[in-house]
Amino acid sequence: MKINQDTDILLISTSLNLGGSEAQAVKLANNLSNIEKKIHFISLKEGGILKPRLAKDIEVTEYNLYVKSKKKFFPKFRSIIWFIIASLRLRRRLKNQKITIISFLFHASFFGFLVSAGKKNIKHIVSIRSDRFTGRKKRNLILREIVMKILVIFSELVVFNSKTSHSKYSKRFNIEDKSKVINNFIGVGKVDFKLREKNSTSCKGIYVGRLDKLKNIDSLVNSFVELKKYDVYLDIYGEGSEFEYLKKLIQKNNLVENVKLKGLQLNIIEKSEQYDFLILTSFHEGYPNVIFEAMNNFLFTISTDVGDVKELINKDTGLIIDGFDADSISKAVKKYIKIPKNKKLDMVYQAYTNLNQNFNADNIIKSWVEII
């Protein structure tokens, strides 16, 4: 591990896979590096599609703390043991070094806690990125929330990216005096507004994100049983535990011509000229990066009412789905279809304008520097 004595910040993320929180961790690291902070990035998993996005001067340490082979004895137990060993080794490495740890996502925060607890020379800032504590398959994990409550008690500060989650957990965890909201970074849009103006009258949507139960993609697929009557099409970009299940669901409902699984592709929203709208059907979110990216590329957005989505989407900038079931999703898409093209263009332009007025990168990085 190459953590130099002059390292200012140790940024820990569960992985460098293509997730909203992971992408924000990378953006924070790069922005801090741009202002000459010495950053070391730790990923608890090896590899990841986001690794090349890290600035060249950022040192990266990758652990392999998640046992994938079921053939090994006690795989979960082995993962826990290696997790603890890795954190204790890092704790010894930082014995006399003054440093700030910023952790993204639950496992990274637990790792940061083990490294920093009781160490006066280490400041641990926990970043909470959602409106509830979940696993990949469950909508709410009570034990995880209890553990997180303990972690934040021992942390120096807690940063939320969502007003909704801050309002909920700052009171529940009794951390009003050491928590604050710092907005997500937004990227630079790549799609020219003129290309949206030239689009045909087709109706083709896009979903981008993990394929797990919490994203409610099965309901999205089922909504197309009704929507295929309207010549609506959907491309689903992402990987995850639900891929094979969704593939069978598409085939079962005879939707292979209307709904396609496209796998993982980096920067797809920045290449979205052929698409008309982005749809998000999650059961939970904080401030969804995918909505930021869509709006910044003049792509119409349709989303369930989760996290701080209503801070971004209103009657002039997109559509909110009234529920999470297939019928609610299909009604929202049919409502989108009925909106005149000129009105849709006005809405995506207004969404782009609002986003870039309210989310200034200089102010966001200034907020982070103030607490570091």
Side-chain angles (χ1 to χ4, degrees):
M1 178 180 292
K2 300 176 182 178
I3 298 179
N4 300 320
Q5 286 297 318
D6 60 347
T7 298
D8 298 309
I9 298 162
L10 194 61
L11 208 153
I12 307 174
S13 178
T14 302
S15 74
L16 281 165
N17 294 327
L18 190 58
S21 297
E22 293 90 335
Q24 284 297 315
V26 169
K27 288 179 180 178
L28 176 59
N30 289 342
N31 275 280
L32 289 170
S33 178
N34 286 341
I35 58 172
E36 298 183 351
K37 295 290 184 181
K38 300 295 184 183
I39 312 297
H40 191 102
F41 197 103
I42 289 181
S43 173
L44 302 185
K45 290 183 181 179
E46 286 185 328
I49 198 169
L50 292 173
K51 186 178 177 180
R53 289 190 175 185
L54 282 166
K56 293 181 180 179
D57 60 339
I58 296 176
E59 293 283 354
V60 182
T61 296
E62 297 172 274
Y63 291 111
N64 188 19
L65 300 182
Y66 299 86
V67 177
K68 296 179 181 179
S69 175
K70 293 182 180 180
K71 295 180 181 178
K72 294 183 178 180
F73 294 109
F74 308 110
K76 289 186 178 180
F77 179 74
R78 288 164 62 92
S79 291
I80 292 170
I81 294 299
W82 281 113
F83 190 95
I84 294 172
I85 290 173
S87 64
L88 293 179
R89 285 176 176 173
L90 179 58
R91 182 182 175 91
R92 287 197 297 271
R93 170 66 183 80
L94 301 176
K95 183 178 180 180
N96 299 312
Q97 187 167 346
K98 190 173 182 180
I99 201 166
T100 297
I101 292 176
I102 304 175
S103 58
F104 278 68
L105 298 170
F106 175 78
H107 291 95
S109 295
F110 189 44
F111 191 87
F113 162 76
L114 293 176
V115 173
S116 64
K119 304 278 283 185
K120 293 182 179 181
N121 60 303
I122 303 176
K123 179 193 292 187
H124 183 200
I125 299 174
V126 174
S127 181
I128 295 178
R129 317 300 297 177
S130 186
D131 60 358
R132 71 182 71 180
F133 296 101
T134 65
R136 291 289 187 245
K137 297 180 180 180
K138 294 184 179 180
R139 292 178 61 177
N140 203 18
L141 293 177
I142 302 301
L143 179 59
R144 183 169 289 194
E145 183 173 322
I146 293 170
V147 172
M148 182 58 83
K149 185 174 183 178
I150 296 170
L151 302 186
V152 299
I153 288 173
F154 287 92
S155 68
E156 183 81 13
L157 194 74
V158 183
V159 173
F160 294 84
N161 70 330
S162 158
K163 293 178 182 177
T164 300
S165 56
H166 178 257
S167 176
K168 179 179 180 180
Y169 287 111
S170 63
K171 294 178 182 178
R172 186 177 296 185
F173 291 171
N174 193 27
I175 53 171
E176 291 103 325
D177 60 334
K178 65 170 188 177
S179 63
K180 67 181 300 183
V181 177
I182 300 180
N183 290 327
N184 281 358
F185 292 99
I186 61 172
V188 178
K190 302 293 185 182
V191 179
D192 195 303
F193 180 68
K194 292 180 180 178
L195 293 175
R196 297 291 180 205
E197 293 179 308
K198 293 178 181 179
N199 273 355
S200 66
T201 57
S202 66
C203 192
K204 192 170 185 179
I206 183 175
Y207 165 87
V208 181
R210 292 192 313 273
L211 308 185
D212 63 42
K213 289 185 181 297
L214 297 176
K215 298 299 184 179
N216 194 29
I217 310 166
D218 53 349
S219 293
L220 175 57
V221 170
N222 285 329
S223 73
F224 272 76
V225 174
E226 169 71 15
L227 290 172
K228 69 178 180 180
K229 303 174 187 177
Y230 297 83
D231 291 327
V232 183
Y233 301 89
L234 177 73
D235 284 346
I236 297 174
Y237 288 89
E239 293 179 345
S241 59
E242 295 285 284
F243 187 91
E244 290 301 323
Y245 165 68
L246 293 171
K247 184 178 179 180
K248 292 176 181 178
L249 186 64
I250 291 168
Q251 293 170 343
K252 178 184 176 181
N253 289 315
N254 298 315
L255 294 170
V256 291
E257 295 300 321
N258 292 77
V259 180
K260 298 185 184 298
L261 295 171
K262 307 290 281 189
L264 189 63
Q265 186 172 333
L266 195 62
N267 303 332
I268 184 59
I269 296 178
E270 297 175 357
K271 310 167 189 173
S272 61
E273 295 91 342
Q274 73 272 34
Y275 295 103
D276 302 292
F277 66 91
L278 175 134
I279 189 162
L280 181 70
T281 54
S282 301
F283 288 120
H284 77 94
E285 293 283 350
Y287 241 134
N289 282 336
V290 71
I291 300 293
F292 281 102
E293 294 173 13
M295 288 182 167
N296 217 25
N297 286 280
F298 301 105
L299 187 60
F300 196 101
T301 52
I302 304 171
S303 175
T304 45
D305 184 8
V306 287
D308 283 10
V309 161
K310 282 187 174 176
E311 294 280 324
L312 298 168
I313 300 178
N314 57 46
K315 63 182 179 63
D316 297 319
T317 59
L319 288 173
I320 297 290
I321 301 169
D322 187 19
F324 297 91
D325 58 285
D327 185 57
S328 298
I329 295 168
S330 66
K331 285 179 179 177
V333 175
K334 285 187 278 187
K335 186 176 180 181
Y336 163 80
I337 294 170
K338 293 178 181 178
I339 300 173
K341 183 177 179 180
N342 286 342
K343 175 64 175 175
K344 290 174 185 174
L345 290 172
D346 288 342
M347 292 172 76
V348 298
Y349 192 83
Q350 186 62 53
Y352 172 88
T353 302
N354 291 353
L355 186 71
N356 284 276
Q357 285 177 346
N358 297 326
F359 293 85
N360 180 278
D362 291 338
N363 291 337
I364 294 170
I365 196 62
K366 181 180 178 182
S367 297
W368 276 105
V369 170
E370 286 174 353
I371 63 174
I372 293 169

